[in-house]
Amino acid sequence: MSGGNSKNKSRSKRHEGWEEAGGEFYQELYPGGEQELFDNLQRADAAKLATLLPSKQARNKNLSNEERTWEEIMQIKAMPNATKLRLQGFEQLQWRQRKIWHRFRSRCGEIMGKLELWQSSLREIEGKFGTGVVAYFLFLRWLFFLNMAISSFVILFLILPKVLLVENLEECIDENSTICCSEAYFTRNWTRNNVILDLIQGTGLMERTILFYGVYSAQIYSFFINSWETELFYNMPMAYILVPISWALLSLVAIVKTGAKGFKERLVENEGQFYVYCNLVFGGWDFCIHNEKSAKIKHKAIYNEFKGLLEEERIKEEKQLRTKESNILMHLRRLLVNILVLVILLLSGVLIYFAFNHSMYWLDEQMAQENEFVNRTEGKVFLGDYRESAFSIGRFQNTLLEFLPFLCIVVLNIIVPEIFGFLIKYENYTPARVIVITLLRTVLLRLSAFAVLLSQIYIQVTNPNRVFCAVFTDESRLDCWETYVGQQLYKLILTDFALQFFMTFIINFPRSLVARHSNSTCLKVIGTQGFYLPKHVLDIVYVQTIIWMGAFFCPFLPIIGTIFTFLIFYVKKFACLVNSTPSPIVYKASKSKSLFMSVLLLGFIISIAPVAYSVAEIMPSVNCGPFRGFNTVWEYVVVTFESFPKFIREVIFLLGTSTFAVPAFAVLLFLLYYYCAVAAANRHMVTVLKNQLVLEGHDKQFLLNRLSAFIRQHQKRCDRRNRASFADDDSIQNSSR
Amino acid sequence: MGQGKSQFTEDELQDYEDLTYFTKKEVLYAHQKFKALAPEKVGHNKNAKLPMAKILQYPELRVNPFRDRICKVFSSSNDGDCTFEDFLDMMSVFSESAPKGVKAEHAFRIFDFDGDDMIGVSDLREVIERLCGAELKLSDSEIQQLVQNVLEEADLDDDGALSFAEFEHIIDKSSDFCHSFRIRL
């Protein structure tokens, strides 16, 4: 009894104690609302007070909640009519339905995940090389799907109609008409070559297949359906212009959309506080990993990532510590390297120029000789025999000459980036910067090669002395120049793929074997190779650029490209998993994703520009293709447009005039301004909130310190009081005795 | 459950279904997995308590750098030994349908090695060392640097340790966490 008494007493005493001790302190800190807290403090004893600390609060509350909930559930279960408390009737049905739907969705997701192409390969690569390299392979897969979409367009609207529909034969009456020209072109005996050579060059037999621009008809196909008693039309030239436009738009939208997503992710990561380290530390381990080997790889990947992050930090610090002299020295070095790079680029351009001219010159010479000979004998019948006998040795040489410029380009593409990679070591950039700059330089190299090649072809095609109609000329390469361009790009893509294949399996694979199985340092240096991301990115972007550029002239190119991207995935996987050792550079996934997309966008613009120019400006061949007889390809569109009903014409015409364009432009500008303003306001808000958060943090800390000091003080007081009250009790007991 | 050999009554299954993120079928499947760890013992008593060493035979746990912590966090006796209910709780938290908050709370407890309800410097060090594995060692100064960077990012109130609120804040921002903090049953 006495115990209870003393407790009561102590509490009442404590009450008074609080009154005097805490009152003024809290009064001055908290003008309002303190009473509540105060009451709490009064009721609770010191041990419980500690739970008011925010860090303890969240968890303890949760745990006790869990326990209490469990107890409550058990109580409810124990009640006699517990079954009635479950959801009944319709509600239960709804709940069940929701559950089933949820499960169905997750099941679907699982199945889709299994169907996803190359999933296991990607996991394997991720385990060994980290997320950055996987981003590259995802990009490759994305390109594969893009090419598949482009191919399906081409197959559905160009190739299938061409194969299935029957062309009307037209008689050649007027010697100058396009019909006669194309007849002369198509009935001409083609150069008889080895089938394999034709296959890889796209000449001879291959030239007149659906592979190339030339054979697509200029007719509007019509066929009569008996059961419907109607006639259907298929406008082939229109399809031929609409299909490229649609796949170009599709590619553009796909690139921009994917790029924007990556950009947004990056923005969120950059804008919000950097959580790179936290993400890695707390989200780094994949709890799904279940075998020793991949666990080991994962450890290594995380280790690499830590190292990479620290490395970046170190370079940043170094930059700040750099003195003025060393700064100047480094800038000088960079300038020097840049000049060197420029010289190398120019040299390679010149080299390609000469290679192309040389091969053209010799091929022209040869063709002239042949034609001369044919004219002299006046017998096209003997042509085949003649070639068979006299030119069998020259044929191989011919092929070599044909491929000379492309071999030159591709070999340069392999060697020069190595030089760039060597040079950039002297420039002291951050790893992320190194990737961007190497990429840019290599892109420039590849584009300069393209530019030289295309300008050469352009000069030939627009040569004013060229005779257009095949009736009046001997066989020439430019009878159907679009096909010729298509052939060039076809050869380029073949050469590129062959060399990638060759480099990976014949050169790099033995190298990696040497590195793995020998002990000498020298051989190890030769053999070891990292998976150098920028180079591989460019490889596939380059293929994609060729596809975009060539798809108008060679409709089959996207299909070939689809097959190639499919195969390249395996080539690259081999290059990655077998040939390379995990590189010391850690590539970050989100960053590299947007980088890939911007490179691809650059490639897209650069490949579409010449095609668009040729569509709008250069006169299409008279002898072949869907646009024979028109001045430009676009003219066909204009002519078709003229035949539209007047109303539509007026509307579209209006869209082009200033009455529409100026207001539209103004509205767009206005919208742009609005979004800019909103973005700026948001950015400001973010900084304000960030500052506020820091302030709150300091506030909290201050309060916590106060609180803990307070608790300590209070505890001391209590102890003292308790002791005093015990003493009181004792004295009372003593006196009562 | 129509299978005849189930060790559970319908009511028990219903309870488990209500208390976890699993369906009845998944609960049974989890029990099969649990049984596979120690067939004899679990055969006798469906809710037998298995020692930590046995629980760590589970493939995903065997290679996990935080395996002992996971067992301790989920063990009802706090010594790493788990009954089936503890095991089911563990799997349920690691399952796909568990919400982020639940995962975050358990992750916090897993990473909180010394159990002081804060992830402090020593905890962070331990996490980083375990992540790198036994063979690859970061130097002391590197770890120091990393810990400092983590704290700089996440320690909003500058008290040199991460409280649960701060940890939850990080997890909210991290898109990978939910993907990686998962064990497929």
Side-chain angles (χ1 to χ4, degrees), chain B residues 71-105:
Chain B
C71 281
K72 287 214 175 95
V73 164
F74 285 98
S75 157
S76 47
S77 50
N78 289 326
D79 54 359
D81 302 349
C82 290
T83 61
F84 171 63
E85 278 171 10
D86 297 335
F87 179 77
L88 192 68
D89 188 25
M90 182 194 298
M91 286 301 136
S92 154
V93 167
F94 279 114
S95 80
E96 210 162 337
S97 35
K100 219 173 190 173
V102 173
K103 281 175 189 269
E105 183 171 341

Side-chain angles (χ1 to χ4, degrees), chain A residues 438-658:
Chain A
T438 332
L439 257 179
L440 262 176
R441 284 179 184 163
T442 327
V443 167
L444 271 181
L445 168 75
R446 301 212 166 185
L447 291 183
S448 66
F450 260 138
V452 172
L453 190 71
L454 287 178
S455 62
Q456 286 300 301
I457 295 174
Y458 176 74
I459 289 167
Q460 285 188 15
V461 169
T462 53
N463 184 3
N465 297 327
R466 200 161 65 87
V467 183
F468 294 110
C469 183
V471 180
F472 310 108
T473 57
D474 300 321
E475 182 179 359
S476 104
R477 258 178 288 109
L478 294 175
D479 273 342
C480 184
W481 68 264
E482 287 94 342
T483 299
Y484 177 69
V485 175
Q487 282 167 349
Q488 303 310 308
L489 293 170
Y490 174 73
K491 272 186 276 188
L492 188 56
I493 204 171
L494 282 187
T495 323
D496 190 75
F497 180 72
L499 241 92
Q500 274 192 37
F501 195 82
F502 180 77
M503 284 302 286
T504 307
F505 291 105
I506 315 271
I507 305 233
N508 287 340
F509 179 51
R511 263 176 70 193
S512 71
L513 282 184
V514 164
R516 216 168 302 148
H517 298 294
S518 85
N519 292 324
S520 87
T521 6
C522 176
L523 283 178
K524 272 218 187 292
V525 168
I526 296 171
T528 334
Q529 45 202 316
F531 192 75
Y532 195 52
L533 206 56
K535 180 192 162 307
H536 293 281
V537 170
L538 266 186
D539 279 346
I540 53 172
V541 169
Y542 189 59
V543 170
Q544 195 57 37
T545 314
I546 299 174
I547 292 169
W548 277 324
M549 200 179 278
F552 181 75
F553 305 108
C554 169
F556 238 72
L557 214 54
I559 300 165
I560 297 170
T562 312
I563 298 167
F564 276 5
T565 30
F566 186 79
L567 293 177
I568 283 174
F569 185 91
Y570 289 99
V571 173
K572 292 292 177 200
K573 187 184 157 195
F574 187 87
C576 172
L577 288 179
V578 181
N579 288 352
S580 314
T581 44
S583 85
I585 310 166
V586 180
Y587 300 104
K588 272 190 236 97
S590 59
K591 259 190 192 166
S592 25
K593 230 185 280 169
S594 51
L595 183 70
F596 298 158
M597 282 303 154
S598 34
V599 173
L600 193 67
L601 188 65
L602 189 70
F604 176 75
I605 292 166
I606 278 157
S607 59
I608 289 299
V611 178
Y613 178 78
S614 77
V615 164
E617 293 292 330
I618 304 176
M619 182 178 157
S621 309
V622 180
N623 303 323
C624 61
F627 306 104
R628 37 195 113 151
F630 288 93
N631 276 330
T632 61
V633 174
W634 194 246
E635 199 186 69
Y636 183 84
V637 180
V638 176
V639 169
T640 320
F641 176 66
E642 296 288 319
S643 67
F644 280 175
K646 189 156 183 286
F647 174 69
I648 297 174
R649 251 189 311 161
E650 291 279 302
V651 168
I652 294 177
F653 192 69
L654 188 73
L655 290 185
T657 57
S658 55

Side-chain angles (χ1 to χ4, degrees), chain A residues 362-408:
Chain A
W362 281 103
L363 287 172
D364 277 343
E365 197 97 311
Q366 222 135 25
M367 199 169 263
Q369 270 180 20
E370 279 175 39
N371 282 334
E372 216 172 281
F373 185 86
V374 171
N375 286 346
R376 243 188 298 137
T377 50
E378 293 268 316
K380 291 193 174 181
V381 194
F382 304 117
L383 194 66
D385 301 338
Y386 157 74
R387 289 209 172 134
E388 209 77 52
S389 54
F391 275 80
S392 56
I393 310 156
R395 202 179 295 144
F396 180 68
Q397 199 189 344
N398 256 356
T399 315
L400 217 65
L401 277 174
E402 287 252 5
F403 272 93
L404 184 69
F406 309 107
L407 277 174
C408 186

Side-chain angles (χ1 to χ4, degrees), chain A residues 59 70 77 279 299 701, chain B residues 15 19 117 131 153 157 174:
Chain A
R59 270 209 40 223
W70 174 244
K77 286 237 156 113
N279 271 343
H299 277 308
Q701 198 159 2
Chain B
D15 285 349
L19 287 170
D117 282 332
L131 276 175
E153 281 175 5
D157 56 5
S174 162

